[in-house]
Amino acid sequence: MASSNTTPKTDTPLMEVSVDRNNLLAEVTIAARISETKTTQPILTHLLLEASADGRLSISTTDLTRSLKTECPAQIKVTGTAAVPAQQFLDYLKLLPSGPVHFKVLANSHLQVNAGSSRTRMPGRAPSEFPKMPSPSGHAIGLNCRVLRTLVRQSLFAVSTGEDRYLLRAAQLLLRPDRAGMVATDGHRLSFVVVPEEGIPVENVQKSLIPRECLTDLLALLSATKEEKLQFSEDEANLFFRIGSRQLSARKLVGQFPNYEGVMPKDLPNSTVVRSADLLTSIQRVLEFADARSNGVRLHLAENTLTISSSTPELGESEETLAVSYSSEPLTVGFNGSYLVEFLRTIGEKGAMRLSFKDGNTAGMLVPESMNLEYQQRYVVMPMRT
């Protein structure tokens, strides 16, 4: 009598699913943003697929500092899990026609994909290698997606990209019962945005540091969603943002964010108002002749005139003159012109900008002159020698 063999055959499906290609592509595109491309842990270059009996295919990804879990509806023939290479899977899905995609996972962790006339098999990894995903356990705060999208969009440009002061590689979210704010600084400039919003369920003020990479992911998720609300929560180790069926988490940074209120200059007697479009284009032209390392430009105010200039021995010199209303003492202050351009691009070219200074040696402030019903923003820039 032959002995029984319990070893699974390689063509026995461990998971079998049918899903709409466009729905799957949308979620894989979002998830693949986070998966690693270069790492000593190969599993971090993979997506974890989980087919459940309730007709959902969940897709998870992590780089160990931030994680994303999303899902899409599917016809589940065999429940199970699989780990598939994120970039290869995404690139292949982009090339498939619209319509149903059928795939199953075999005992050797290979993913077999059938779509239209296409038949493909790609190697995967054991799903047991995939790291455990963090899950929220604390009380969630309901926030308006529009509010958070505005805060992130207006702040991201000022978050530090340097490695020396890692706490500045984050923006501080400020939640109050009647408004939400965000502060970002790289040590040379500071952006402070406030969005009026009644009914935020917090007492006094709640502060949370959101890392730069998480801000970038958030902006992508918020720009792609039709949801009006999101759920925000945090525990001792992680931040969590749930937007519809997508949940983004990020490891918290440990430390004290700079005191932004102490940085905000309060006595700025010298000010003038300039059309934002004129200011932006003038600085951009002058920057073409500025030192490439410092991007230094000079602003000179005197007798109803704003003069913007730069010069270098190698490139030459450039000067722009704008008519303004100014009757205070003449002053000259130097700035990194790129810092001014980045802010003006974020604000947009409509309307006018108020420039305020104390003297040529202290921080200047830029504030949109017209009241914006969506948000208010102040921008502080430290001076530099030019």
Side-chain angles (χ1 to χ4, degrees):
M1 184 176 180
S3 60
S4 61
N5 184 0
T6 58
T7 303
K9 298 179 181 180
T10 57
D11 59 352
T12 302
L14 301 182
M15 181 176 78
E16 190 167 357
V17 174
S18 292
V19 62
D20 179 78
R21 175 262 187 189
N22 292 341
N23 290 340
L24 181 61
L25 177 60
E27 304 311 318
V28 170
T29 300
I30 290 289
R33 287 175 48 89
I34 292 179
S35 63
E36 289 276 22
T37 55
K38 296 180 180 179
T39 176
T40 57
Q41 301 184 56
I43 192 64
L44 299 183
T45 66
H46 287 56
L47 303 176
L48 181 68
L49 307 181
E50 300 175 89
S52 58
D54 58 0
R56 291 179 300 171
L57 177 69
S58 69
I59 305 161
S60 301
T61 181
T62 182
D63 67 358
L64 300 183
T65 60
R66 64 202 209 279
S67 304
L68 178 75
K69 186 171 184 178
T70 185
E71 62 185 40
C72 63
Q75 295 179 346
I76 311 297
K77 187 173 181 179
V78 178
T79 62
T81 58
V84 301
Q87 197 58 52
Q88 183 185 25
F89 192 46
L90 174 61
D91 291 343
Y92 180 64
L93 286 175
K94 288 179 179 178
L95 299 173
L96 291 177
S98 297
V101 176
H102 309 278
F103 61 86
K104 58 183 177 181
V105 179
L106 307 179
N108 57 6
S109 296
H110 279 57
L111 182 71
Q112 181 175 302
V113 184
N114 297 340
S117 60
S118 177
R119 303 290 183 271
T120 302
R121 181 180 294 195
M122 63 182 70
R125 298 188 72 88
S128 58
E129 298 179 26
F130 202 83
K132 183 179 179 181
M133 298 280 286
S135 57
S137 57
H139 171 68
I141 297 173
L143 296 177
N144 189 301
C145 288
R146 173 192 57 81
V147 170
L148 190 57
R149 181 172 59 248
T150 299
L151 292 175
V152 176
R153 182 192 67 215
Q154 296 301 123
S155 304
L156 190 55
F157 77 99
V159 179
S160 176
T161 58
E163 300 292 340
D164 49 344
R165 300 174 65 184
Y166 89 106
L167 279 178
L168 300 187
R169 291 178 57 86
Q172 187 173 64
L173 176 66
L174 307 166
L175 298 178
R176 300 177 187 271
D178 60 347
R179 61 192 184 278
M182 186 167 281
V183 185
T185 179
D186 62 5
H188 303 288
R189 33 88 179 267
L190 180 147
S191 170
F192 180 38
V193 189
V194 174
V195 178
E197 178 73 4
E198 295 290 342
I200 298 178
V202 296
E203 295 182 5
N204 300 320
V205 58
Q206 178 174 315
K207 301 179 181 181
S208 304
L209 274 180
I210 306 179
R212 181 184 180 87
E213 292 79 6
C214 180
L215 290 168
T216 302
D217 296 331
L218 260 180
L219 188 57
L221 291 175
L222 291 167
S223 299
T225 189
K226 296 180 180 179
E227 299 286 336
E228 295 183 358
K229 288 283 188 177
L230 65 96
Q231 298 296 315
F232 168 60
S233 62
E234 57 184 306
D235 56 25
E236 293 183 356
N238 296 287
L239 303 167
F240 299 93
F241 302 86
R242 185 165 189 86
I243 307 170
S245 61
R246 299 164 177 167
Q247 180 172 282
L248 174 69
S249 63
R251 185 183 299 168
K252 295 171 72 171
L253 301 180
V254 179
Q256 186 69 34
F257 194 73
N259 177 16
Y260 71 94
E261 293 177 331
V263 175
M264 289 284 185
K266 297 177 174 60
D267 181 20
L268 302 174
N270 304 308
S271 68
T272 191
V273 177
V274 190
R275 286 186 66 245
S276 297
D278 294 341
L279 184 61
L280 174 60
T281 55
S282 294
I283 295 175
Q284 286 176 315
R285 287 192 288 264
V286 167
L287 263 176
E288 292 294 317
F289 300 87
D291 179 78
R293 292 171 298 178
S294 66
N295 292 313
V297 299
R298 291 179 298 274
L299 274 63
H300 179 70
L301 276 168
E303 300 177 359
N304 295 326
T305 301
L306 171 62
T307 304
I308 306 167
S309 63
S310 68
S311 63
T312 55
E314 299 82 5
L315 301 174
E317 59 186 38
S318 180
E319 181 177 288
E320 298 266 340
T321 302
L322 299 174
V324 297
S325 176
Y326 184 79
S327 57
S328 299
E329 290 294 319
L331 67 84
T332 301
V333 57
F335 291 115
N336 183 320
S338 294
Y339 291 169
L340 303 179
V341 167
E342 288 175 359
F343 173 67
L344 291 167
R345 283 176 174 168
T346 302
I347 290 293
E349 298 184 20
K350 294 182 179 180
M353 189 68 56
R354 178 170 292 276
L355 313 179
S356 300
F357 312 95
K358 181 178 181 181
D359 51 45
N361 301 311
T362 54
M365 181 181 289
L366 283 72
V367 179
E369 180 69 0
S370 301
M371 178 64 68
N372 189 309
L373 297 179
E374 184 181 3
Y375 65 90
Q376 293 88 49
Q377 186 163 4
R378 288 180 283 171
Y379 186 55
V380 179
V381 188
M382 299 300 294
M384 62 179 294
R385 294 182 179 179
T386 58

